[in-house]
Amino acid sequence: MTVARLSWILSLAGAVLGLIAATASAADQVYWVNQDGESISHAGVNGGGGADVPITGVSVDHPQGLAIDSAAGRVYWVNREETSYSIRQANLDGSGGRVLNTIGAPVMDPVGLAIDPALGRIYWVNFAGNAVYFANLDGSGGGELDTTGAVVETPVGLAVYPAQNRIYWANFEESSHPIGYANLDGTGGGGSLDLTGAEVDMPEGIAIDPLANRVYWANRSSIGFASANGGEGGKVDTDGLPTEPPEGLAIDPFRKTIYWGETTADIIGVAGLDPSGPFGHVDTTGATHVDPVFPVLLEDPRNTGAPILSSTHVATGVLRRRVKGLPTVESQARNLSCTEGTWAGDVLESFLYRAPQTTSIQWLRNERPIAGAFGPTYSATEVGDYACRATAANAAGSSAKESDPVNIRASFALGRPAINRKKGTAKLPVAASGTGFVALSGKSVRARRLNLAAAGPIPFTGSLPVKARGGARRRLRANGRAKVKAMVTYIPTGGVPLRATKRITLRLAAAG
């Protein structure tokens, strides 16, 4: 391929890449290792360039394998430099680098890495070791996986497929059995994948699309595939993109795209998994891309179920005994609780990582965050629409989902007035569900206002004094009785007014 032809392809591919990433989150990243660049790098799948991971504490020496534990916020890689063969790890921000204890499992010329956080294991193959090895993520050492029944010959790259209880690997120089597999649980069950119809040529790296149940591998100059059940093989149409040679694969099965490291053009290539798919390459501006290999994908968390909000009345202790004529209302105070929602897990077989590292809950009232209201529970005492927002985050970014709202309503009631015949007045009992104020108004009564102080979960009870005015007052003095119409308004804190009326006959006893 001429330099001019390669330049034209890369220019066109970069323009088309935006079509691939149109539905991707702005936070989604592709990571890779640079064989000769001695580094780990990443870039946004939407473009915008990237950066290197500033690893501290350990070196990155001729890396040829990469995996991410999204929930733990860690990155793992293999050093293939003879003087520092090892499995190494660091936090995704580059800090805390260290060597993983692999005692019991040799690390000699390792190529490829796969992780299964649920089992607490990481797997690799040694190019000359002809075996599949694992180590425990807790640093307690490792061992050799039972691959009885399968051929392991100069392996390069591997992938775990938990749904099938299998681990797959590519045999670089074994043309008769190029793709092998065994049981992931260590019970043997090994074999060779039927590659009828597929193109196979010194495969280097493997990934699986669980939605299509297909196994993909990187050939010396193409990308082949076959059904995980065997047969139905073919190759990916990369529409002229450089694949000479690709090393390592990552798949986004939901957007039907595949990524690979291309060591001749020093790019991370992208193509659709079906013939109509777009093609392109990742914008790696600002990041090292020298012999980039073994790409993996890190996406911000994806919500699969909104948080669920539940509400219960606050216990008020011993209920006030009902007294004839006195009103009662139920407290508006509620104990609210919220789940974290559900979030999609990693797609390990595709090298797509998206599990949350942290989750948090923020409470909202009337669609606005409540200052300082975090955590799974909240005690609500004011009226309004309450909801909780669950936010999940990992090193790629964060996403949030809100619950359905719960409405807390205020209530109040008026009781039977107590008439004071000596003074010609009355007391009108009032009960309100929470804080705020109660106002008495009306043409024939004097206005009054009663502030309702906070009383925890216990509803307010009290009385409004009712005194006649104007014509009603004159009739009361002249006739010893007068009918008045009292309007009572309860304005709860942060709520809308509630109103009720009460007709009262005031009586005034004749002076002795």
Side-chain angles (χ1 to χ4, degrees):
M1 180 181 296
T2 66
V3 173
R5 169 65 175 166
L6 178 58
S7 177
W8 176 82
I9 289 173
L10 296 183
S11 176
L12 178 60
V16 178
L17 180 58
L19 297 176
I20 299 173
T23 59
S25 164
D28 294 348
Q29 300 282 307
V30 56
Y31 282 70
W32 66 90
V33 289
N34 296 291
Q35 292 183 88
D36 293 335
E38 311 291 329
S39 59
I40 300 171
S41 305
H42 65 93
V45 300
N46 275 324
D52 295 344
V53 180
I55 302 295
T56 60
V58 290
S59 62
V60 182
D61 299 323
H62 200 68
Q64 280 194 279
L66 187 67
I68 289 175
D69 185 343
S70 178
R74 294 194 186 104
V75 60
Y76 293 80
W77 69 95
V78 295
N79 271 2
R80 203 181 177 191
E81 173 60 43
E82 186 174 356
T83 58
S84 62
Y85 286 151
S86 57
I87 310 298
R88 302 196 170 192
Q89 62 178 307
N91 297 324
L92 274 163
D93 64 4
S95 65
R98 56 192 182 276
V99 177
L100 182 67
N101 177 22
T102 58
I103 188 169
V107 184
M108 300 289 292
D109 200 16
V111 189
L113 203 60
I115 194 170
D116 189 343
L119 287 180
R121 285 183 172 182
I122 196 163
Y123 300 83
W124 69 94
V125 286
N126 295 326
F127 185 72
N130 298 336
V132 177
Y133 300 99
F134 68 88
N136 298 316
L137 297 176
D138 63 6
S140 58
E144 179 180 335
L145 188 71
D146 183 355
T147 58
T148 301
V151 173
V152 188
E153 181 70 33
T154 57
V156 178
L158 72 171
V160 297
Y161 196 0
Q164 275 198 354
N165 184 35
R166 278 186 178 178
I167 186 167
Y168 290 81
W169 62 89
N171 290 317
F172 182 69
E173 295 179 348
E174 176 51 64
S175 59
S176 299
H177 306 279
I179 307 296
Y181 62 82
N183 290 340
L184 192 58
D185 62 7
T187 57
S192 298
L193 189 64
D194 175 8
L195 304 181
T196 301
E199 183 174 293
V200 188
D201 179 18
M202 293 183 162
E204 295 183 86
I206 195 165
I208 298 165
D209 176 359
L211 300 185
N213 197 35
R214 278 182 176 177
V215 179
Y216 289 78
W217 58 88
N219 290 311
R220 295 299 291 172
S221 59
S222 65
I223 299 172
F225 65 83
S227 169
N229 298 325
E232 302 177 12
K235 73 173 184 177
V236 175
D237 180 7
T238 56
D239 202 17
L241 273 173
T243 54
E244 301 172 355
E247 290 190 40
L249 300 173
I251 291 172
D252 187 333
F254 309 103
R255 299 188 184 99
K256 298 186 179 300
T257 51
I258 189 166
Y259 296 74
W260 67 92
E262 210 286 337
T263 57
T264 299
D266 287 337
I267 65 168
I268 301 296
V270 191
L273 291 178
D274 56 57
S276 63
F279 69 99
H281 66 92
V282 174
D283 177 6
T284 55
T285 304
T288 302
H289 47 101
V290 179
D291 282 346
V293 294
F294 290 97
V296 302
L297 298 169
L298 178 65
E299 297 182 349
D300 59 7
R302 300 302 198 257
N303 181 264
T304 56
I308 299 173
L309 191 160
S310 57
S311 169
T312 58
H313 288 285
V314 174
T316 57
V318 179
L319 293 176
R320 183 172 58 82
R321 184 177 61 183
R322 289 180 179 271
V323 177
K324 188 175 182 180
L326 295 181
T328 59
V329 294
E330 191 174 56
S331 169
Q332 68 192 30
R334 300 286 188 275
N335 284 330
L336 306 179
S337 62
C338 182
T339 68
E340 294 179 342
T342 54
W343 303 89
D346 298 327
V347 189
L348 302 173
E349 56 271 23
S350 300
F351 295 93
L352 170 61
Y353 307 106
R354 56 185 182 174
Q357 184 177 355
T358 61
T359 55
S360 60
I361 293 174
Q362 165 77 66
W363 289 93
L364 303 94
R365 177 175 170 270
N366 297 332
E367 301 183 350
R368 294 185 178 182
I370 302 171
F374 301 99
T377 61
Y378 180 72
S379 296
T381 58
E382 296 182 0
V383 298
D385 289 325
Y386 287 82
C388 55
R389 177 188 295 148
T391 300
N394 59 25
S398 64
S399 57
K401 188 72 173 180
E402 290 184 12
S403 70
D404 290 333
V406 167
N407 180 260
I408 295 181
R409 293 184 176 89
S411 60
F412 88 117
L414 303 178
R416 189 174 69 184
I419 306 300
N420 186 328
R421 292 174 176 267
K422 184 176 180 180
K423 296 181 178 181
T425 61
K427 288 186 176 181
L428 178 60
V430 176
S433 59
T435 61
F437 68 87
V438 175
L440 174 69
S441 62
K443 183 179 179 181
S444 57
V445 296
R446 293 182 184 179
R448 290 288 188 271
R449 173 171 166 154
L450 185 62
N451 292 320
L452 312 185
I458 302 174
F460 170 85
T461 55
S463 298
L464 287 166
V466 180
K467 294 183 179 181
R469 73 169 185 167
R473 185 166 180 261
R474 290 192 293 271
R475 288 193 299 274
L476 179 64
R477 287 181 174 180
N479 304 322
R481 57 182 291 169
K483 292 184 178 180
V484 297
K485 182 180 180 182
M487 176 176 287
V488 182
T489 302
Y490 169 40
I491 301 183
T493 303
V496 297
L498 301 177
R499 294 182 174 87
T501 58
K502 194 78 169 181
R503 294 184 181 275
I504 304 171
T505 300
L506 299 177
R507 299 178 183 276
L508 180 63

